[in-house]
């Protein structure tokens, strides 16, 4: 169950001190210290975090980490005031001067208003004062019992703090501190401006933080408010907790609504058991498990790419995410790296893949796609010798296009073989292009981006038909690659996508260098997908080799053999039509005529006119050139002429797209009808 997996991961992060929540202060950020000596606050000098030592009380968690968050789910102050988890460590505005060194009066005024707002709020028993008062009403119930895994030593010194300092003492200290900030606001602004002018380079843009260090047990106020914000603070004041209910995950009492961001799908789903309307949410759990969810979500968002979350799930009861976290600690934030991390830990963990996008309405995310038990990163292809699908042999011949000669260009060396399922993304991207002055491809690296980006921006100004086909099949492509669903692609889908791209290339061949190379490459992809994933062996029967042998050593007494072979394998008929049309074009080219018979046919053909167009535009209009063909060409013409009733009207299930794809194959591969059998380059 996804929720319990997130809780398990969040708990591990917390107990091993690997959670990143509120640990957002960088080493190069600037600290503005305030000290407390002889019951008085004093301004210090600004310094980068990695250049300053802050002498917090030895028992304070701030000795190890500075905790700050602007997350509205957990911070105590409202947006109008200074933001932080504690009044004694807050984030400062600092954009007070422009590039010319002039003061930004508006920004300075806004910052002063924030300080006054915070002071007024606390003076009126709001913000930190309000929550300190709640904690002090029953420190045991409202604080000490809420912190998970609180060891005996920590329990003692937090409890001692509440006994030593009464409510009014702690509240007055907070009020005095805010009054000090308000009184010294001009000095604070001047020191920030001076520091930025003298100490920072132009390309530096650190965050600034104001911290008060007591070097006494007053520093524990920071701890109390940080823990309280995470483990005890209510998510929503308007919604009541269920005090006597038990958490379904740990059986603790006092059930609330989720602390995690709201993840919703178009239809109600079980993914997080959480709908956008919080009062109708099925997911109710204790505040501790709530916090663990928060830790898990925060960590996973930092590990992975924007809009992607991978949820690790233990395969056994051993709570061990150590290697997963170790492998995740990298600055290389790419999708390839993500899958390497998952593969390296697949012996201990399973994963769910969540693709989401930020909703414009508050802290909500729309789940665009959810893949359970995501395993695509483990998928490889095994042949007899190697774990890969070879597209070319050592001589760069096209393996799936009966070893057709293929003169590869330098720009076309990205994919020689397919090692994993993700290599297929490159092939599918090759099917969706726009051609004007040059070829333009989809603006995506990986197909998961159909759920994380605006689809219209992935193919700007592409023709309507290509966009329509992409939108029609993009989910199938994703399911095929990311969910390893082999049923996601089918014969009609493959035929439609490949025919569209081949027609586009044919119509725009004057704009494309080596256009025949582009067509041959995609035909090789076509037959590879048909064979390896659909189990179809079109044009791969022994009949093709027999036909080639006959044409290689042709004589009139073999005409019946040709007819017999074609009758046994109807795909060869349309392959031969392509060869025949190519022979016409080559003959016209040899006679200094325009060799555009095939291009004209492809540009004007449709489902309803294919047979009529074949008869009129190919057979009838090219009668002169047909009569002057070699004997192999003439016998093929006679075969078509004597069997016109069945041409493009086969009784078997051959589609319109397959007729044309077979014609493309015949036209662009070595012409066995040619006297020399040497294909001319159409460049």
């Amino acid at each position: 169950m996804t929720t319990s997996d997130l809780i398990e991961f969040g708990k591990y992060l917390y107990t091993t001190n690997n959670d990143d929540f509120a640990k957002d202060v960088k080493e190069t950020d600037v600290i503005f210290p305030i000290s407390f000596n002889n019951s008085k606050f004093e301004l210090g000098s600004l310094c980068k975090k990695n250049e300053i030592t802050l002498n917090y009380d030895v028992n304070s968690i701030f000795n190890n980490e500075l905790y700050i968050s602007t997350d509205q789910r957990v911070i105590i102050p409202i947006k109008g005031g200074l933001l932080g988890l504690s009044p004694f460590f807050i984030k400062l505005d600092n954009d007070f001067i422009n590039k010319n060194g002039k003061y930004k009066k508006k920004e300075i005024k806004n910052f002063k208003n924030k300080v006054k707002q915070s002071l007024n709020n606390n003076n009126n028993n709001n913000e930190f004062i309000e929550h300190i008062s709640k904690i002090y009403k029953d420190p045991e119930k409202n604080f000490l019992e809420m912190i998970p895994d609180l060891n005996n030593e920590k329990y003692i010194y937090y409890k001692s703090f509440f006994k030593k300092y009464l409510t009014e003492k702690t509240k007055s200290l907070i009020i005095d501190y805010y009054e000090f900030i308000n009184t010294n606001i001009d000095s604070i602004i001047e020191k920030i401006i001076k520091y930025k002018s003298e100490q920072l380079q132009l390309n530096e843009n650190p965050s600034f933080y104001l911290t008060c260090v007591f070097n006494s047990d007053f520093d524990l106020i920071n701890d109390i408010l940080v823990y309280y914000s995470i483990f005890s603070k209510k998510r929503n004041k308007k919604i009541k907790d269920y005090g006597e209910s038990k958490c379904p995950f740990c059986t603790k009492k006092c059930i609330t609504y989720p602390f995690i961001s709201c993840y919703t799908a178009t239809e109600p789903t079980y993914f997080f058991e959480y709908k956008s309307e919080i009062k109708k949410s099925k997911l109710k759990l204790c505040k501790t498990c709530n916090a663990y969810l928060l830790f898990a979500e925060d960590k996973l968002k930092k590990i992975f790419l924007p809009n992607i979350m991978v949820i690790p799930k233990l395969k056994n009861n051993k709570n061990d995410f150590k290697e997963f976290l170790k492998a995740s600690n990298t600055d290389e934030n790419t999708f390839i790296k993500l899958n390497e991390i998952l593969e390296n830990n697949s012996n201990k963990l399973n994963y769910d893949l969540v693709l989401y996008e930020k909703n414009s309405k508050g802290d909500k995310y729309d789940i665009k796609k959810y893949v359970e038990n995501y395993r695509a990163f483990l998928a490889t292809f095994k042949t007899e010798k190697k774990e890969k699908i070879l597209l070319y042999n050592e001589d760069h011949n096209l393996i799936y296009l009966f070893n057709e000669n293929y003169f590869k260009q330098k720009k076309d060396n990205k994919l020689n073989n397919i090692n994993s399922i993700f290599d297929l993304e490159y092939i599918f991207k090759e099917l969706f292009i726009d051609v004007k002055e040059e070829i333009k491809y989809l603006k995506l690296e990986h197909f998961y981006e159909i759920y994380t980006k605006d689809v219209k921006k992935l193919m700007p100004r592409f023709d309507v038909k290509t966009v329509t086909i992409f939108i029609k099949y993009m989910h199938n492509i994703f399911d095929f690659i990311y969910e390893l669903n082999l049923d996601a692609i089918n014969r009609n889908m493959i035929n439609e996508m490949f025919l569209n791209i081949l027609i586009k290339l044919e119509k725009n061949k004057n704009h494309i260098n080596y256009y025949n190379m582009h067509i041959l490459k995609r035909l090789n992809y076509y037959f590879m997908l048909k064979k390896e994933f659909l189990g179809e062996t079109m044009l791969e029967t022994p009949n093709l080799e027999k036909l080639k042998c006959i044409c290689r050593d042709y004589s009139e007494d073999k005409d019946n053999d040709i007819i017999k072979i074609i009758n046994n394998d109807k795909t060869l008929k349309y392959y031969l039509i392509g060869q025949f049309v190519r022979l016409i074009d080559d003959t016209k080219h040899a006679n200094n005529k325009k060799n555009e018979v095939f291009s004209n046919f492809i540009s004007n053909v449709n489902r309803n006119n294919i047979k009529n167009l074949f008869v009129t535009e190919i057979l009838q209009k090219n009668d002169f050139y047909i009569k002057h063909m070699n004997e192999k060409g003439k016998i093929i013409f006679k075969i078509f002429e004597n069997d016109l009733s069945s041409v493009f009207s086969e009784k078997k299930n051959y589609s319109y797209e397959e007729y044309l794809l077979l014609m493309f194959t015949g036209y662009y591969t070595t012409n066995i009808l040619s006297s020399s059998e040497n294909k001319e380059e159409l460049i």
Side-chain angles (χ1 to χ4, degrees):
M1 183 178 180
T2 298
T3 305
S4 61
D5 295 317
L6 282 169
I7 291 172
E8 194 72 29
F9 182 55
K11 183 177 181 180
Y12 175 87
L13 293 172
Y14 175 71
T15 55
T16 58
N17 198 32
N18 279 297
D19 64 282
D20 287 336
F21 190 79
K23 299 176 182 178
D24 295 329
V25 182
K26 299 179 178 63
E27 290 297 311
T28 54
D29 285 341
V30 178
I31 305 298
F32 194 149
I34 294 177
S35 59
F36 187 71
N37 299 313
N38 299 319
S39 300
K40 291 184 179 180
F41 296 104
E42 296 176 359
L43 291 176
S45 299
L46 285 81
C47 197
K48 290 183 179 178
K49 181 178 181 288
N50 57 13
E51 298 173 352
I52 191 172
T53 300
L54 299 172
N55 296 314
Y56 285 102
D57 181 79
V58 67
N59 293 317
S60 174
I61 58 173
F62 272 63
N63 262 313
N64 300 317
E65 190 72 48
L66 298 177
Y67 292 84
I68 187 73
S69 179
T70 55
D71 190 332
Q72 294 295 321
R73 295 172 295 176
V74 294
I75 61 173
I76 290 174
I78 59 175
K79 291 182 179 180
L82 299 172
L83 297 184
L85 296 172
S86 162
F88 301 116
F89 190 76
I90 54 179
K91 190 167 186 177
L92 292 174
D93 294 355
N94 63 83
D95 188 22
F96 301 139
I97 53 173
N98 58 29
K99 294 180 180 179
N100 298 322
K102 293 184 178 180
Y103 285 14
K104 294 183 178 180
K105 294 181 180 180
K106 183 178 179 180
E107 281 74 9
I108 291 174
K109 182 180 178 181
N110 288 340
F111 178 56
K112 289 182 176 181
N113 287 338
K114 283 186 180 181
V115 174
K116 289 179 181 177
Q117 182 73 45
S118 292
L119 176 60
N120 292 336
N121 287 340
N122 283 280
N123 267 322
N124 291 320
N125 292 315
N126 293 315
E127 291 194 5
F128 292 111
I129 298 300
E130 175 188 356
H131 291 282
I132 283 290
S133 299
K134 288 180 180 178
I135 294 170
Y136 266 95
K137 283 182 179 179
D138 191 342
E140 190 79 28
K141 180 180 179 180
N142 296 331
F143 179 73
L144 294 171
E145 290 180 0
M146 300 300 294
I147 306 175
D149 300 314
L150 186 64
N151 62 41
N152 190 54
E153 184 180 352
K154 284 188 175 182
Y155 178 88
I156 290 171
Y157 65 70
Y158 284 136
K159 190 167 185 176
S160 298
F161 176 87
F162 290 115
K163 288 183 177 180
K164 183 177 180 180
Y165 302 108
L166 299 178
T167 311
E168 294 306 317
K169 175 62 180 177
T170 303
K171 290 165 63 174
S172 65
L173 191 66
I174 294 172
I175 296 296
D176 290 345
Y177 178 66
Y178 273 116
E179 287 180 345
F180 173 80
I181 295 173
N182 188 51
T183 301
N184 292 274
I185 189 64
D186 290 327
S187 294
I188 291 172
I189 293 171
E190 288 176 10
K191 283 178 176 286
I192 292 173
I193 292 173
K194 183 179 179 182
Y195 181 86
K196 293 187 72 171
S197 302
E198 296 177 355
Q199 302 295 327
L200 297 183
Q201 303 296 322
L202 290 175
N203 60 346
E204 289 185 282
N205 187 30
S207 296
F208 282 68
Y209 299 99
L210 187 65
T211 181
C212 179
V213 180
F214 293 96
N215 193 19
S216 71
D217 47 6
F218 281 141
D219 287 325
L220 297 183
I221 296 174
N222 287 322
D223 300 41
I224 292 168
L225 288 168
V226 167
Y227 279 129
Y228 173 82
S229 296
I230 297 172
F231 291 108
S232 188
K233 177 177 174 283
K234 287 186 65 173
R235 173 187 166 91
N236 192 320
K237 292 182 179 180
K238 297 178 181 179
I239 299 174
K240 294 181 180 180
D241 290 339
Y242 297 83
E244 296 304 316
S245 298
K246 288 185 178 181
C247 176
F249 300 101
C250 71
T251 71
K252 281 187 179 180
K253 292 184 178 180
C254 189
I255 306 305
T256 186
Y257 284 94
F259 221 1
I260 194 173
S261 302
C262 178
Y263 290 86
T264 62
T266 305
E267 300 295 333
T269 66
Y270 66 88
F271 300 142
F272 296 101
E273 296 180 339
Y274 187 10
K275 300 178 185 178
S276 57
E277 295 181 27
I278 190 169
K279 290 183 179 180
K280 297 181 180 180
S281 172
K282 293 181 180 180
L283 180 57
K284 302 177 182 71
L285 63 170
C286 71
K287 293 180 180 179
T288 301
C289 289
N290 234 324
Y292 291 153
L293 276 177
L294 194 65
F295 296 149
E297 178 199 22
D298 183 69
K299 187 73 171 183
L300 293 175
K301 280 187 175 180
K302 288 181 179 178
I303 289 176
F304 298 120
L305 296 161
N307 303 108
I308 290 181
M309 186 184 295
V310 176
I311 300 172
K313 305 188 296 183
L314 294 166
K315 286 187 175 181
N316 50 50
N317 294 326
K318 187 178 179 181
N319 193 352
D320 188 5
F321 298 93
K322 183 179 179 180
E323 293 302 318
F324 172 74
L325 292 175
K326 183 179 179 181
S328 303
N329 188 21
T330 175
D331 293 331
E332 189 180 350
N333 193 13
T334 67
F335 184 67
I336 295 173
K337 185 65 180 178
L338 178 152
N339 287 288
E340 288 176 356
I341 291 170
L342 305 187
E343 182 176 2
N344 292 337
N345 292 274
S346 60
N347 61 325
K348 294 182 179 179
L349 302 169
N350 289 321
Y351 305 96
D352 285 354
L353 173 66
V354 186
L355 300 171
Y356 63 91
E357 69 176 16
K358 179 85 172 179
N359 191 301
S360 59
K361 298 179 180 180
D363 188 32
K364 295 181 181 179
Y365 299 92
D366 295 327
I367 294 175
K368 296 299 181 180
K369 188 70 175 179
Y370 194 102
V371 181
E372 289 186 275
N373 197 20
Y374 173 62
R375 296 176 60 81
F377 54 89
L378 294 175
T380 57
F381 303 104
K382 293 183 179 180
T383 62
E384 292 180 1
K385 295 181 179 180
K386 298 180 180 179
E387 290 188 350
K388 62 178 68 174
I389 291 177
L390 297 175
L391 293 170
Y392 315 106
N393 62 21
E394 293 179 355
D395 297 322
H396 297 296
N397 294 333
L398 301 166
I399 289 178
Y400 290 90
L401 199 59
F402 19 92
N403 287 321
E404 183 71 21
N405 272 336
Y406 179 61
F407 300 99
K408 290 174 54 123
Q409 306 300 316
K410 290 182 179 179
K411 291 183 179 179
D412 183 51
N413 58 3
K414 186 171 183 179
L415 187 66
N416 288 333
N417 48 64
I418 301 169
N419 298 291
S420 71
I421 190 75
F422 292 110
D423 286 337
L424 293 170
E425 289 189 308
Y426 179 79
I427 288 176
F428 284 110
K429 285 192 293 183
E430 291 265 285
L431 304 184
F432 301 100
I433 65 170
D434 186 51
V435 183
K436 290 183 175 66
E437 298 301 320
E438 59 182 3
I439 294 179
K440 292 184 179 180
Y441 294 90
L442 288 169
K443 290 189 174 182
L444 57 72
E445 288 295 320
H446 302 281
F447 264 86
Y448 76 79
E449 293 172 60
I450 63 172
Y451 296 109
T452 62
K453 293 182 179 179
D454 185 344
V455 173
K456 294 179 181 178
K457 294 180 180 179
L458 298 179
M459 40 198 331
R461 295 184 294 278
F462 278 37
D463 66 279
V464 173
K465 187 170 184 180
T466 300
V467 173
T468 301
I469 292 175
F470 178 76
I471 292 174
K472 180 179 180 181
Y473 293 120
M474 63 184 185
H475 301 291
N476 297 68
I477 296 171
F478 177 92
D479 292 349
F480 175 60
I481 294 173
Y482 289 79
E483 298 193 33
L484 303 179
N485 180 8
L486 298 184
D487 293 331
I489 63 171
N490 56 60
R491 185 181 186 184
N492 292 336
M493 168 187 169
I494 296 299
N495 288 340
E496 187 174 358
M497 289 192 300
F498 275 93
L499 181 59
N500 180 66
I501 181 63
L502 294 183
I503 290 176
K504 179 176 285 293
L505 289 168
E506 183 67 35
K507 287 182 177 180
N508 292 278
K509 61 185 181 183
N510 293 330
H511 298 291
I512 308 170
N513 289 331
Y514 311 109
Y515 73 89
N516 58 319
M517 178 197 75
H518 288 282
I519 289 174
L520 285 172
K521 178 173 63 172
R522 287 163 176 82
L523 283 171
N524 193 45
Y525 294 159
Y526 172 71
F527 287 106
M528 181 275 292
L529 289 171
K530 294 273 280 188
K531 178 181 179 180
E532 301 294 348
F533 298 100
L534 299 182
E536 298 182 16
T537 54
M538 182 184 287
L539 290 185
E540 208 175 81
T541 64
N543 291 322
L544 180 57
E545 278 305 313
K546 291 179 183 178
L547 184 63
K548 287 183 177 181
C549 289
I550 293 173
C551 290
R552 211 175 282 128
D553 189 24
Y554 175 75
S555 59
E556 289 186 9
D557 60 340
K558 296 181 180 180
D559 290 354
N560 287 332
D561 292 335
I562 294 176
I563 295 172
K564 184 178 179 181
I565 290 173
I566 293 174
N567 288 334
N568 286 336
D569 188 350
K570 298 297 184 183
T571 60
L572 291 175
K573 181 190 294 187
Y574 302 97
Y575 161 80
L576 280 173
I577 289 177
Q579 296 262 295
F580 179 75
V581 178
R582 175 62 183 273
L583 190 60
I584 294 174
D585 271 340
D586 285 352
T587 305
K588 295 182 76 171
H589 179 70
N591 287 276
N592 298 316
K593 302 292 183 179
K594 289 185 178 180
N595 55 332
E596 296 179 347
V597 176
F598 185 72
S599 288
N600 290 335
F601 177 79
I602 291 300
S603 296
N604 295 288
V605 72
N606 59 53
R607 295 177 187 277
N608 299 319
N609 71 1
I610 185 170
K611 179 182 285 192
N612 182 61
L613 203 67
F614 172 67
V615 172
T616 57
E617 298 300 316
I618 293 178
L619 300 184
Q620 293 178 358
K621 287 189 177 181
N622 293 285
D623 179 64
F624 172 81
Y625 297 101
I626 294 171
K627 287 180 179 179
H628 288 80
M629 280 183 178
N630 59 36
E631 293 305 314
K632 286 187 286 186
K634 288 178 180 178
I635 185 58
I636 297 302
F637 169 74
K638 288 180 181 179
I639 292 172
F640 298 150
E641 189 178 42
N642 294 333
D643 190 29
L644 278 179
S645 61
S646 69
V647 176
F648 302 112
S649 304
E650 301 298 337
K651 293 181 180 179
K652 287 189 176 182
N653 186 26
Y654 292 107
S655 68
Y656 164 77
E657 289 82 7
E658 283 174 326
Y659 291 142
L660 293 183
L661 284 163
L662 288 165
M663 285 181 65
F664 265 103
T665 305
Y667 189 86
Y668 279 98
T669 54
T670 301
N671 200 328
I672 62 176
L673 303 182
S674 173
S675 298
S676 63
E677 282 195 54
N678 290 325
K679 182 186 69 157
E680 294 183 17
E681 290 294 330
L682 302 184
I683 297 177

